[in-house]
Amino acid sequence: MPGESLLTIEDYGRLCRQTLPRPLFDVIFGTEDAAEFETLRNNLEGFKKLVLRPRVLTGSARPALAVSVLEEQVALPVLIAPSGSNQRFDPEGERAVARAAGQMGTIMTVSTASNYSLEEIAAAATGPVWFQLYFFKDRELNSILIHRAETAGYKAIVVTVDVVTGSSKERHGRHDLTFAGIHYQRYNVDPSRIMRNFVDLQRPGVPTLETFQSCLESVLGWSDIDWLRRTTSLPLIVKGIQTAEDAALCVEHGADAVIVSNHGGHALNGARASIEALPEVVDAVGDKIEVYVDGGFRKGTDVLKALALGARAVLVGRPVLWGLTLGGQNGVQAVLELLRNELLVAGGQSGVMDVRTVDRNLLATAGHFAFAQAHAPEPLLA
Ligand SMILES: Cc1cc2nc3c(=O)[nH]c(=O)nc-3n(C[C@H](O)[C@H](O)[C@H](O)COP(=O)(O)O)c2cc1C
């Protein structure tokens, strides 16, 4: 990795775009100026609507960054979001990501659509791992995957609920999903590793690359969350919540945590930024369950803003894959180190002693001049 030119997460994105075949990069990660990636753009721009109100003379230079997530201690409040087919970016794929997560003292979320089996990844991991489940029509298949995750030592089940009808046709329509004769999911992937979690299952109708989408339950409802709650004794995390109403229902239906997420802009185009959806979700659940958030986190200040709004931790997707492409396990670690160092600086310069204690007094809405109030102008993000 050409170290000195990789000073920001955006630098990783730019170099990754030059490294991967362009059609592959554009369909997987999107470009900020593309019409079909309006939600991605919203995610990135959402952070600019909030500005920091730093305190000084607090005696803090290096804030404590450790937090607990579902009673697991992590060294920094930045976790790894699930992403499919990681061998596209490095031969070691998800195993490299799992090792990097362990090295950095954080948690990796393993996708249903991984190129290494969930057991292989758990065996490579040196820290806690969560299993992300796409919910299949075939309930027995869901049970099998959950049982395998439990047996392999996963610490939580993350069910993704925001892509039930598939992703935008516009996105796929605009991009040629094959380039140089290769499907974008097959690029650099050992053929035996495509949909690796399913290849050894002796079961009719198990998902393949071609049938994956049609195997997913397209009419997910709260009774499915109830079913999951009954089916696993592991903590249950619902990924893809964007409103107070749904967050409150997650509490009612027994979820242990939610991830505020719009799938990194890969699901509904025209959705608001995750960071803008976060406060109402936090307010809706109070201290009943934990709230995490993903979508567009590229800087230490982005992370600090989410924590100040009430998220316990954030997850990162694209930055991890850019690091993986450019440097394998070391690249992923470098990306996480960069975010950690930026968070240390941002917290230190804001007078934060411990990230667990930040609150909304650290924030103001950009463009809002408050003369009368001594504290943060209210309401935030109205
Ligand atoms: C290439 C790619 C693959 C993804 N695959 C999955 C997946 O298999 N399961 C899932 O729940 N989310 C998936 N996501 C969404 C991420 O978990 C996460 O919500 C999103 O990437 C966060 O935004 P960020 O990339 O801006 O950090 C994927 C995202 C990307 C970019």
Side-chain angles (χ1 to χ4, degrees):
M1 281 194 302
E4 67 284 2
S5 62
L6 294 171
L7 302 176
T8 64
I9 298 294
E10 283 91 349
D11 289 341
Y12 278 84
R14 266 190 295 276
L15 191 57
C16 185
R17 191 159 190 241
Q18 290 162 21
T19 306
L20 288 174
R22 183 61 58 87
L24 180 74
F25 183 96
D26 285 352
V27 75
I28 294 179
F29 298 118
T31 51
E32 288 160 39
D33 53 353
E36 69 277 20
F37 277 107
E38 192 182 316
T39 303
L40 166 65
R41 193 156 56 247
N42 289 346
N43 278 346
L44 296 166
E45 287 176 359
F47 296 105
K48 296 188 189 136
K49 299 179 188 171
L50 277 179
V51 286
L52 293 164
R53 297 177 68 247
R55 299 297 305 274
V56 295
L57 302 170
T58 61
S60 153
R62 257 181 99 81
L65 299 188
V67 296
S68 73
V69 283
L70 295 173
E71 293 175 13
E72 200 79 52
Q73 283 292 317
V74 288
L76 71 166
V78 180
L79 322 177
I80 296 183
S83 62
S85 301
N86 285 185
Q87 203 179 42
R88 290 177 294 181
F89 313 108
D90 179 83
E92 278 294 299
E94 291 84 3
R95 295 206 297 197
V97 178
R99 292 185 188 112
Q103 201 63 34
M104 293 299 294
T106 191
I107 294 174
M108 174 194 184
T109 315
V110 173
S111 167
T112 301
S114 53
N115 293 134
Y116 285 87
S117 70
L118 63 90
E119 289 84 1
E120 288 174 308
I121 302 164
T126 52
V129 275
W130 291 348
F131 180 68
Q132 177 264 324
L133 178 77
Y134 277 126
F135 200 93
F136 294 100
K137 288 176 187 149
D138 179 353
R139 298 293 188 276
E140 186 60 26
L141 182 57
N142 295 320
S143 298
I144 290 170
L145 290 168
I146 290 168
H147 182 67
R148 282 172 56 188
E150 288 171 347
T151 308
Y154 284 75
K155 301 285 190 193
I157 301 294
V158 177
V159 60
T160 299
V161 297
D162 58 8
V163 288
V164 283
T165 54
S167 42
S168 137
K169 295 284 171 289
E170 184 183 357
R171 171 177 159 231
H172 282 177
R174 266 185 219 278
H175 297 278
D176 187 0
L177 298 184
T178 60
F179 58 97
I182 311 165
H183 187 272
Y184 81 113
Q185 296 275 15
R186 293 183 187 275
Y187 173 78
N188 272 353
V189 178
D190 173 344
S192 71
R193 297 205 158 278
I194 293 166
M195 293 293 158
R196 188 71 187 95
N197 279 322
F198 307 97
V199 290
D200 296 331
L201 287 183
Q202 305 299 318
R203 208 178 158 67
V206 290
T208 62
L209 190 55
E210 290 70 29
T211 64
F212 188 80
Q213 193 65 48
S214 62
C215 290
L216 296 180
E217 181 55 86
S218 56
V219 283
L220 264 187
W222 290 102
S223 60
D224 298 309
I225 301 297
D226 295 336
W227 180 88
L228 278 171
R229 184 61 296 167
R230 289 195 302 276
T231 303
T232 182
S233 54
L234 287 176
L236 181 62
I237 305 171
V238 183
K239 176 173 184 274
I241 295 301
Q242 300 186 47
T243 61
E245 299 91 305
D246 286 341
L249 284 164
C250 284
V251 175
E252 248 177 64
H253 289 267
D256 296 283
V258 292
I259 303 176
V260 177
S261 173
N262 51 39
H263 218 95
H266 275 175
L268 173 68
N269 206 22
R272 68 187 158 157
S274 292
I275 192 77
E276 288 190 81
L278 176 63
E280 69 174 59
V281 171
V282 168
D283 293 344
V285 307
D287 54 11
K288 295 192 193 92
I289 61 174
E290 297 182 1
V291 178
Y292 321 123
V293 57
D294 75 20
F297 287 85
R298 305 288 181 265
K299 296 183 197 324
T301 49
D302 299 341
V303 180
L304 193 58
K305 289 173 185 178
L307 300 180
L309 285 175
R312 189 167 278 248
V314 313
L315 294 89
V316 283
R318 288 173 180 81
V320 166
L321 301 178
W322 297 338
L324 184 63
T325 303
L326 298 176
Q329 177 188 341
N330 290 339
V332 177
Q333 278 172 226
V335 158
L336 292 171
E337 263 164 29
L338 206 161
L339 282 171
R340 185 187 59 191
N341 291 338
E342 286 190 359
L343 181 58
L344 277 174
V345 172
Q349 289 186 339
S350 301
V352 175
M353 312 280 272
D354 186 324
V355 293
R356 290 174 305 175
T357 62
V358 293
D359 63 22
R360 294 180 188 181
N361 283 316
L362 188 61
L363 303 172
T365 46
H368 183 119
F369 290 85
F371 297 106
Q373 303 109 304
H375 295 294
E378 291 289 339
L380 275 175
L381 297 176

